[in-house]
Amino acid sequence: MRKRYDNPDEPAGSSPSPAAGACELSAEEALQHRLAELKQRSEALFDIPEAYVLTIADYHEDKREGGRAMFVWTKAGEDPVWSKPGKDSGLSVELNDQGDLIEYTIDVEEAAGDLPELSAEQLRLRAEKFALDHYPGALKPFSPTRTKSADSGTLFFYEQEVMGLPLPMSGFRVKVHRSGIVSDFRYFGRQTKPKVPESIVPKEQLLCQIADTAKLDLRLDFLHKSVDDTEKEELRLVYEPSSRWMHFRADGTEEVREAADEGTESEEPAVWLPVPELPAVEAPAVRTAQDVQELLGIDPERYELLREVEMDDCMTGMVWRRRDWQPVAAEDRSLDAFFRQRTEETLKAKIDPVSGKLVSFIRFEEEIPGEQRLTRDACLDIALGFLARMQPGLASFLQLRQQEEAFDSDREHFDFRIGKQGVWLELEHIRLSVNKTSGRIGHVTGPSVDPAQLQAVEAAPLIDEPEARRIYAEALDLKLGWEIDYSGNGKRRRYALKYRLVHKEKGREIRWIDARTGELICSRLE
């Protein structure tokens, strides 16, 4: 938006002049004026509770969508990030540059109170009424495609369809609390209709190809009930199909890997080294802020504890800040100022109070250099000593990634993989840094598993890969659907018709095959 109000006659790349400086000031003033207009528009659309105060007022330009203004109000005295679940704490509104509603979210649990629960049809009518209030013609170009239970409400999706298949990020979605209060709305709008392929490869042809070429990787994985269709959270020995990350163009022109996998094949394979077993050390449980301070050497005279909050995932989050920190200007309500307010000169830790273990820690500060100049080997000794206190007994299940000493940095970084009998957890790494001038821990991310779970899990498969491949192939099906084509960078979204692999009965992705029982483990999410 600043560019929009800049002097259009100013040549690109020219040197600033006094007149240009005045123009830049007027551009900033125009930006703030437009932001104030859009704020008034938000307040006209929604009744802002009297107890709420404006926390964020920000404007940004989106490459594809154009100008966007975002406003967030939070209950006075409540923390917008750390508020407890079930408490009303905030309302957010996003408008485009024309003042049209793009996104709306409000916490409603407290406001809903003892309101009666409405039927599914009543909730759907509330969702449609909200959409029509803001977009009177919204039900004509978009079809109701699916509903989804979410927390204490229901999500209704209305999307643009081509060939009877919905276009991702088209139309709108509405979340309605069981009481009938709309708690979330997102408008995507009408998208350019994609070209339908002249011919579509029969899925049977692709299924035969997959069955012949599918590769299964043996690994350990910690199954989570929130994402895996399993009864309990546990460490298991599984085969992962490499094809689960692959989608197939319906016209047969190419096979595409997910963006997360692109470029990984060009990397040199890592060299992993054994980790020396250290003498057992006393490792007291970490359940309080005082325990964390002692474990990490946080000086209470230099840092003050800002927050200690129970989080949704049964973890406890803690934040310290340097006592000499100076806050940002009170009138600056930009998103950038909000995040600086949340992170500058802070130390953040997460602990599991049940197990008494530190889960993660990170410094968001410019550290004052110490007087030491430790070698990488000396920093490794510090890292291993810290891990011995953080997770006693874990060293025998670790390997260290070989890396060169960081001569141009004040920090040495260490990456440990976790496994047993040559079988490794794919995503469960421990990453840790040590400051070479002070010996302090800069950050650490811990694993979901502990030594007892690793000790108990069986790492020898009872089902070999050919049998697992047969089980996998027999359960496979291909589901046709439109997907966003990220290969283009134009202003309009592009789509490609692709097949994705699903379980033939459940219609969900097959994530794993249990290497001991042959059980197929699907994603819990569709």
Side-chain angles (χ1 to χ4, degrees):
M1 191 169 183
R2 289 183 176 86
K3 293 180 180 178
R4 180 176 303 174
Y5 289 101
D6 279 343
N7 185 351
D9 298 324
E10 181 70 14
S14 62
S15 59
S17 65
C23 179
E24 178 63 31
L25 178 63
S26 64
E28 185 65 31
E29 289 175 341
L31 170 65
Q32 294 305 319
H33 178 71
R34 184 61 181 142
L35 197 59
E37 289 179 334
L38 291 171
K39 175 177 174 290
Q40 289 180 349
R41 168 69 174 161
S42 299
E43 293 168 336
L45 290 174
F46 302 101
D47 292 327
I48 310 299
E50 290 185 4
Y52 282 19
V53 295
L54 185 65
T55 303
I56 297 174
D58 194 81
Y59 188 96
H60 69 278
E61 291 281 351
D62 183 272
K63 182 178 180 180
R64 176 176 283 115
E65 308 293 353
R68 290 287 186 268
M70 181 178 69
F71 304 96
V72 178
W73 290 265
T74 56
K75 183 180 290 186
E78 291 286 341
D79 189 282
V81 176
W82 296 85
S83 59
K84 293 182 179 179
K87 292 188 67 176
D88 279 359
S89 61
L91 178 156
S92 68
V93 177
E94 184 177 349
L95 306 176
N96 66 13
D97 201 28
Q98 289 71 48
D100 301 321
L101 180 65
I102 300 302
E103 190 162 10
Y104 166 78
T105 304
I106 186 171
D107 299 309
V108 301
E109 286 292 343
E110 193 174 274
D114 298 324
L115 293 176
E117 184 172 342
L118 301 186
S119 67
E121 179 63 14
Q122 289 172 315
L123 296 179
R124 183 185 65 80
L125 292 175
R126 294 287 181 95
E128 292 183 352
K129 182 181 183 305
F130 186 94
L132 290 172
D133 285 345
H134 296 278
Y135 291 91
L139 297 183
K140 293 182 180 179
F142 309 125
S143 305
T145 54
R146 56 195 168 107
T147 61
K148 180 181 176 182
S149 296
D151 300 327
S152 55
T154 302
L155 272 167
F156 297 89
F157 295 83
Y158 291 74
E159 297 170 290
Q160 183 178 345
E161 291 186 308
V162 177
M163 296 175 58
L165 302 171
L167 297 181
M169 296 184 71
S170 69
F172 62 91
R173 69 163 188 258
V174 192
K175 181 180 177 183
V176 188
H177 186 267
R178 60 175 178 267
S179 65
I181 301 176
V182 172
S183 62
D184 184 272
F185 173 81
R186 181 71 167 89
Y187 186 78
F188 299 101
R190 190 173 181 85
Q191 305 300 321
T192 302
K193 183 179 178 180
K195 182 180 179 181
V196 176
E198 294 182 1
S199 62
I200 297 177
V201 176
K203 67 178 182 180
E204 292 76 16
Q205 177 180 328
L206 288 174
L207 285 171
C208 290
Q209 174 186 333
I210 296 165
D212 292 338
T213 60
K215 182 176 181 297
L216 304 181
D217 298 315
L218 184 67
R219 58 175 46 110
L220 293 167
D221 198 87
F222 192 83
L223 273 57
H224 296 271
K225 291 189 293 185
S226 59
V227 293
D228 299 299
D229 191 9
T230 182
E231 293 298 321
K232 59 181 180 179
E233 302 199 347
E234 60 181 338
L235 184 65
R236 290 168 74 169
L237 181 69
V238 296
Y239 287 104
E240 180 187 28
S242 58
S243 55
R244 66 172 276 211
W245 302 108
M246 301 175 70
H247 293 188
F248 303 85
R249 284 192 177 268
D251 59 7
T253 56
E254 64 175 314
E255 186 177 286
V256 183
R257 296 188 71 85
E258 291 285 337
D261 279 356
E262 291 180 3
T264 56
E265 293 181 359
S266 62
E267 296 179 2
E268 292 186 10
V271 176
W272 297 93
L273 308 172
V275 172
E277 190 70 56
L278 295 180
V281 297
E282 183 179 356
V286 178
R287 293 192 171 92
T288 68
Q290 179 67 31
D291 295 336
V292 178
Q293 289 176 184
E294 293 177 359
L295 176 65
L296 292 160
I298 299 174
D299 184 355
E301 294 193 2
R302 187 179 178 191
Y303 299 91
E304 64 175 328
L305 180 66
L306 295 184
R307 292 180 290 275
E308 183 174 353
V309 183
E310 294 180 7
M311 304 171 73
D312 289 347
D313 52 2
C314 301
M315 300 290 175
T316 299
M318 302 172 184
V319 181
W320 292 261
R321 169 166 271 146
R322 287 232 306 250
R323 294 183 183 273
D324 59 357
W325 174 77
Q326 295 298 317
V328 296
E331 65 274 9
D332 189 350
R333 293 189 176 92
S334 67
L335 195 58
D336 179 65
F338 176 78
F339 284 116
R340 283 190 283 119
Q341 176 81 19
R342 306 295 304 184
T343 59
E344 272 189 349
E345 308 301 334
T346 62
L347 314 179
K348 298 188 179 185
K350 185 190 292 186
I351 67 169
D352 181 347
V354 176
S355 65
K357 297 290 191 297
L358 177 71
V359 175
S360 64
F361 171 75
I362 187 168
R363 294 178 183 270
F364 292 97
E365 64 170 346
E366 289 291 334
E367 292 187 76
I368 299 175
E371 298 179 355
Q372 305 182 65
R373 195 64 193 176
L374 301 173
T375 63
R376 180 171 176 83
D377 287 342
C379 290
L380 177 59
D381 289 340
I382 293 172
L384 293 175
F386 178 80
L387 289 178
R389 298 193 306 276
M390 178 183 169
Q391 282 279 9
L394 192 62
S396 61
F397 300 102
L398 300 180
Q399 284 190 349
L400 171 67
R401 182 171 186 162
Q402 182 174 277
Q403 293 172 275
E404 297 295 326
E405 185 162 354
F407 292 105
D408 57 347
S409 172
D410 282 343
R411 286 189 181 182
E412 287 291 342
H413 296 264
F414 302 96
D415 179 9
F416 300 89
R417 68 176 179 180
I418 309 167
K420 182 178 181 181
Q421 297 173 332
V423 185
W424 305 98
L425 284 94
E426 180 69 10
L427 301 177
E428 292 282 339
H429 283 220
I430 298 176
R431 293 181 172 88
L432 184 151
S433 70
V434 177
N435 188 299
K436 293 191 288 189
T437 71
S438 65
R440 287 192 295 264
I441 301 297
H443 80 274
V444 61
T445 54
S448 298
V449 298
D450 58 39
Q453 292 168 319
L454 288 160
Q455 194 68 46
V457 71
E458 294 290 346
L462 296 180
I463 295 174
D464 60 17
E465 184 179 343
E467 174 63 9
R469 188 185 299 111
R470 182 193 65 78
I471 295 171
Y472 175 63
E474 287 184 355
L476 272 184
D477 196 6
L478 287 168
K479 186 174 182 179
L480 199 60
W482 294 103
E483 296 185 16
I484 296 175
D485 183 355
Y486 291 101
S487 62
N489 55 7
K491 287 189 175 182
R492 304 297 296 177
R493 288 191 180 92
R494 292 168 43 177
Y495 295 89
L497 190 64
K498 296 182 183 181
Y499 284 111
R500 64 183 180 91
L501 297 167
V502 296
H503 190 286
K504 64 172 58 175
E505 295 175 359
K506 298 181 179 180
R508 298 195 298 270
E509 174 196 46
I510 300 175
R511 292 173 61 82
W512 322 104
I513 302 97
D514 190 297
R516 304 278 296 177
T517 67
E519 176 192 359
L520 289 166
I521 305 160
C522 293
S523 168
R524 186 173 293 276
L525 308 174
E526 293 187 8

